[in-house]
Structure formats: C-alpha cells, structure tokens
Amino acid sequence: MPSVAHSAAHSTAQYIKIFYILLALTILEVSIVYTGLPRMFLVGLLVILAVWKAALVAMHFMHLKFEKTLLSIVAIVPFVLCVFLILMLLPDIFPR
Amino acid sequence: MSEAVAMHAGAEPAEAPLTPESWGKLGMWLFLAGDAMSFGGLIVGYGILRHASKTWPVPSHTLGINLTAVMTFLLIVSSVTMVLALAAIQEDDKRRFKKFMGFTILGGLTFLGCQAYEWTHLIGHVLPEHNLSFTKDLFATTFFILTGFHGMHVTGGVIYNSAVLAAVSRGRYQAKHVEIAGLYWHFVDLVWILIFTFVYLL
C-alpha cells in the first residue's frame, strides 16, 4: 500500500490538489474574520479550519496517512498532552 | 523506491518492525513531537494570558492580517515545492530536485523578509501608536515570543534545506535524507497555520 501511494505521477497530482484545498481554506479563514460573525461562532469555526489545515499538511505532505502507525502515535502525543495541559490549567482559567 | 517496494512485496504484517530507512524518520518525528510541545506550551500560555487579561487589542486591527495571509500562502507554497522536490529526487531527477528545492529555500527567505518588514513596521509605527511594546504588555510580548520562536525555526529550516541541497548536489544525500528534511519543513508550515489562526485571526 505505501509503495502505491508513493508512485510519483500519482502523488504529484495529489499534492497539487492538497495545495488548492489549503489555499481555499486560507482564503475562507481570512474572509470570515471580516464578516463580523458572533465571537463564539467565529472562534469555533477558525479553530476547526486551522486543525483541518494542519491535519492535511500532516497526513499528505508529511505522509502520515501512508506511514506505519507508530509515527502517527508519536505525532499525536504532543496534541494529547496539550489538551491535558489545558485541562490541568482549567481551575486557573476559570477560578472557582 | 525500488528497495522499499521489495521490502513491502511480502505479506504486510499488521505491525511491521521499522525498516532501516525509517529510523531517521522516527528520529525526526520524535524531535518534532518535543518541538510541538514547546510550541504547544507557548500557544496554551498565550491563550490563558489572553483569557485572563481585562483588555486585549483586536489582532486584526493592530497586526494587519493581509501581509500575514500572504506569508501563510508563501509557506504553503514552499511546502508544496518541498514535496515536489522530494518527488523529483525519488525519480532520480536531480535537475528538477534542485529547481524545486531552490524555490523552497527562496520561499523561506521571502517569508523571513516579510517577517522582518512586519516586525520593523510594528515596532516603529503601529505598536507605539497603541502604547504597546515588548516586555511592557502581554499582547506585544506574547506576539514577539511566539512569532520569533517560529521565525527562528524558519531560519533553521532555510539553513537545513540549503545544506541538504548542497549535499544532494555533491551526491552525498539521497531521497531519504530529503524526506526527513521535508518533515521538518512541513512541521514549520503546520505550526505557522496554527499561529496564524491563534495570534492573528482570533
């Protein structure tokens, strides 16, 4: 399976496709900042778009989609720890 | 990739042991995981300081997000040229590799140029107007620490990529080395995507 995914002609087209998706998402991000949506909605939407873009880069450009599970586990650890960090700091973020 | 094909030709075990060529990748991923935690700590810290502050300047009014949108675009493009450079070296096309790797390095340098301009503009004009400055208030301090830490990573990436380009030109590095350098470069792009959202857009 990994060797098929790496066949060059195939992947070049795929890379270009990912580029256009990233570009479209970036334009979308910048334009919704100017729309004056409700703050909570805006924050949620922007965070989802950012995580989506980051995942596209990791899965396709960094090949996580085609790699062994071990590398994905290594990659996911810091995100789990960051969520943990936020949870541990919740008492300080919202006192009492 | 022919040897990789040969290695995978047999039955694919559910959890195959690492192949020799993947040790370098694992090493880079472990480094990136640690680096991601540095960035994660800084971004979470930024979020908590911002949440706890009574007032916080609106970033899109103060920082000017049009230039940084262009910078985001630059890094995404340089990520694409990086994967195209990898695809070229995997096909043993050194000429095309050098072209795309050159574009990648140029993209990184242009990004740094934009950031230098942005910082100069902010320090010289925008921040004094709002009575903000580094170490004097949390907005400017967290901004310069986050973007500065990332900018240093871009600088490191440009040097790294230049070294890889030189080593491939001399025939000392092959596709697997380019792939590892690519992981670092894409990580820098990935982190900027997050910084762009959290520092500039929100």
Side-chain angles (χ1 to χ4, degrees):
Chain A
M1 215 166 53
S3 45
V4 177
H6 274 136
S7 82
H10 191 79
S11 55
T12 302
Q14 184 70 12
Y15 291 148
I16 301 294
K17 196 181 121 194
I18 299 297
F19 165 70
Y20 282 121
I21 299 174
L22 287 172
L23 183 61
L25 290 178
T26 305
I27 293 169
L28 184 65
E29 278 180 335
V30 175
S31 44
I32 62 171
V33 170
Y34 291 112
T35 53
L37 287 166
R39 177 82 186 153
M40 284 298 280
F41 188 66
L42 186 75
V43 170
L45 203 56
L46 283 173
V47 170
I48 289 169
L49 285 173
V51 172
W52 186 5
K53 282 167 70 185
L56 280 177
V57 171
M59 297 292 265
H60 292 274
F61 291 169
M62 297 169 93
H63 307 129
L64 267 191
K65 203 175 169 183
F66 315 107
E67 292 283 5
K68 297 199 188 317
T69 325
L70 175 63
L71 290 188
S72 297
I73 295 170
V74 173
I76 210 75
V77 164
F79 292 95
V80 174
L81 286 175
C82 281
V83 171
F84 192 63
L85 175 63
I86 296 170
L87 291 178
M88 294 302 281
L89 288 167
L90 275 182
D92 275 343
I93 303 172
F94 301 103
R96 271 202 312 137
Chain B
M1 286 316 290
S2 55
E3 71 252 45
V5 173
M7 278 184 167
H8 289 293
E12 176 104 22
E15 204 44 52
L18 286 164
T19 51
E21 70 261 34
S22 61
W23 282 110
K25 269 193 274 186
L26 177 64
M28 180 51 90
W29 269 108
L30 286 172
F31 166 72
L32 293 180
D35 213 16
M37 285 189 247
S38 308
F39 276 110
L42 286 175
I43 292 175
V44 171
Y46 161 82
I48 288 168
L49 289 173
R50 181 168 172 179
H51 177 84
S53 298
K54 284 199 184 70
T55 58
W56 197 270
V58 181
S60 52
H61 296 173
T62 322
L63 299 172
I65 55 178
N66 292 337
L67 174 68
T68 33
V70 172
M71 287 161 70
T72 308
F73 174 73
L74 269 172
L75 274 196
I76 291 174
V77 170
S78 78
S79 249
V80 175
T81 56
M82 187 81 201
V83 282
L84 294 179
L86 175 63
I89 193 80
Q90 279 172 343
E91 287 172 61
D92 226 12
D93 188 344
K94 273 200 180 180
R95 231 175 60 89
R96 200 153 55 89
F97 164 78
K98 281 182 198 165
K99 185 179 85 179
F100 281 122
M101 197 60 167
F103 282 139
T104 307
I105 294 166
L106 194 66
L109 286 173
T110 317
F111 178 89
L112 289 172
C114 287
Q115 192 166 45
Y117 168 79
E118 182 205 21
W119 277 33
T120 313
H121 185 67
L122 285 175
I123 295 168
H125 301 283
V126 181
L127 294 180
E129 278 168 29
H130 292 80
N131 202 22
L132 301 166
S133 73
F134 185 60
T135 72
K136 216 174 81 184
D137 69 285
L138 288 171
F139 174 79
T141 307
T142 52
F143 171 82
F144 284 117
I145 286 178
L146 262 172
T147 57
F149 194 54
H150 178 268
M152 285 191 325
H153 277 76
V154 178
T155 312
V158 167
I159 295 168
Y160 185 8
N161 286 344
S162 307
V164 169
L165 176 59
V168 170
S169 302
R170 279 196 234 130
R172 286 179 44 235
Y173 270 17
Q174 294 92 36
K176 60 177 181 179
H177 303 102
V178 177
E179 187 174 7
I180 294 169
L183 287 178
Y184 177 82
W185 189 249
H186 300 310
F187 172 77
V188 170
D189 178 26
L190 191 155
V191 168
W192 180 257
I193 287 171
L194 299 178
I195 289 182
F196 179 58
T197 296
F198 289 117
V199 175
Y200 290 90
L201 295 181
L202 287 184

